Amino acid sequence: MSELTGILILNKPAGITSHDCIFKLRKILHMKRIGHTGTLDPNVTGVLPICLGNATKVAEYITDAGKEYVGEVTLGFATTTEDQDGEIIAEKKVDRVIARDEIIRVLTSFIGTITQTPPMYSAVKVNGKRLYEYARAGIEIDRPSRQVQIHEISLLTVQNTFSGDQISFSFRVSCSKGTYIRTLAVMIGEKLGFPAHMSHLVRTRSASFQLDDAISLEEVAALVEQEQIAQVLKPIATGVAHLPHFCANHQTVQKIKNGAVLAVDHEIPNMSNQTAVFDEFGALLGIYQDHPTKPGLIKPKKII
């Protein structure tokens, strides 16, 4: 069987890392050229696009695109890992009734640009080491804050009031790359006045890929056994569906295939952002962008 090329939309199971998924898929698919497009924590499930073969060339564009999650916040205690797996580090009973409208106001206050500090139990590197390596050694260090975008956020739990020593509610959030939903859950709790953690999380979208598109590792194995796996792979072009598109004419296609720098004229747009360039038959040729030092020219960022 020739090497597979395309994007496999995996429904990542709980209990294993994203790297574990790659390891398992290499054995199932009998191929090495595989890459995932954004790490999910072991206890998080949902959409994990996997690039196979030549599709690994667009992995970074899927990784950089927006994500959507459905999560659950539990108020009443906080943990070392900011999720349900960590040790409790703060407790406070929810000693008042919280109205639905108050939670909605808190959630909507996060829409826009927010600043987050990555949790100690995360894969962010500081001085060449992952933060979780410091955390496991009992060392807490200063972490660089980052700005992320919350595009939309809404309350999913349908009740008008919330009460009890601990309360939980679900929300849906659409956000930029790099957003820590665990940290967002803690921030939501802080605004409501209680320690909090993320008690459940599912990624429902990555770039243009939805949870409905995703299949399990078991389904992948069955499709390989039936020699039908190629039928569920998404074309490489779907990995850049969120980018601006441009269709090159016949005369320009060969220049693009050769990686040429092109002059902007009536046939070629000025590409100040990364733009996916296609031929007249809809095949993805590459990603072009405005030339950083030569006005009036565009240059390839990646040739597919």
Side-chain angles (χ1 to χ4, degrees), residues 209-243:
F209 304 115
Q210 306 284 341
L211 188 56
D212 288 346
D213 299 322
I215 61 175
S216 68
L217 286 168
E218 292 76 16
E219 289 173 311
V220 173
L223 287 166
V224 169
E225 185 70 24
Q226 298 160 15
E227 298 185 351
Q228 294 180 344
I229 188 64
Q231 297 178 21
V232 301
L233 301 183
K234 306 294 183 183
I236 295 177
T238 59
V240 296
H242 56 287
L243 296 181

Side-chain angles (χ1 to χ4, degrees), residues 117-147:
T117 301
M120 280 300 301
Y121 282 90
S122 65
V124 174
K125 278 190 174 181
V126 176
N127 298 327
K129 289 178 66 174
R130 305 283 186 185
L131 282 176
Y132 63 72
E133 294 179 280
Y134 291 107
R136 288 169 181 168
I139 302 169
E140 178 141 356
I141 63 169
D142 291 333
R143 289 101 76 196
S145 295
R146 61 173 65 171
Q147 288 194 322

Side-chain angles (χ1 to χ4, degrees), residues 43-45 69-72 181-182 198-203:
N43 59 11
V44 178
T45 65
Y69 298 87
V70 169
E72 181 186 69
I181 310 301
R182 287 182 281 155
M198 185 194 72
S199 44
H200 185 67
L201 187 65
V202 179
R203 185 154 71 188

Side-chain angles (χ1 to χ4, degrees), residues 100-121:
R100 177 183 182 83
D101 288 348
E102 181 182 358
I103 295 175
I104 291 173
R105 283 196 301 273
V106 166
L107 293 181
T108 55
S109 72
F110 288 102
I111 293 175
T113 301
I114 65 170
T115 300
Q116 288 190 321
T117 301
M120 280 300 301
Y121 282 90

